[in-house]
Amino acid sequence: MVGLTITRHETATGGEYRAHPADSEALGQLTWTTQAGNPAVHRADLVLVPSEIGGRGIAGRLVEAMVADARENHFRIQPLCSYVVAAFARHPEWADVKA
């Protein structure tokens, strides 16, 4: 795959990871919100990869970025999006960051 840059963007109540493929203007996204009363838990709400950049593993890379970020910044992930639920099921080694 051509280069992929993933960036993190925060808001007061959550944020998103954005995947920027070098060969496209389209963006993949993984959105999350913080759990009320417990900002150390990030709820992975939605993974969205437009069809024009689909089939490249971008959704998986977005989840991997969130997992790496959780380990580095000491938060846990509550998978809500069906894609993230399935990704955690495929990767038991991520159990340390699952809420």
Side-chain angles (χ1 to χ4, degrees):
M1 174 171 57
V2 176
L4 181 70
T5 301
I6 296 179
T7 57
R8 177 183 168 160
H9 305 268
E10 283 193 59
T11 67
T13 59
E16 68 182 15
Y17 293 86
R18 296 179 190 156
H20 311 259
D23 64 345
S24 178
E25 294 297 316
L27 298 175
Q29 298 170 289
L30 185 162
T31 62
W32 57 274
T33 55
T34 53
Q35 184 175 352
N38 189 357
V41 174
H42 294 189
R43 297 180 299 190
D45 302 315
L46 176 69
V47 175
L48 177 63
V49 177
S51 60
E52 60 264 33
I53 58 172
R56 302 182 186 192
I58 292 172
R61 297 274 304 275
L62 285 163
V63 179
E64 289 169 0
M66 187 176 199
V67 168
D69 204 22
R71 288 180 174 148
E72 183 177 325
N73 293 296
H74 310 289
F75 64 84
R76 296 175 67 81
I77 300 166
Q78 180 182 12
L80 297 179
C81 168
S82 61
Y83 183 87
V84 180
V85 169
F88 268 84
R90 286 190 309 272
H91 293 278
E93 69 275 16
W94 293 351
D96 62 312
V97 296
K98 186 177 179 188

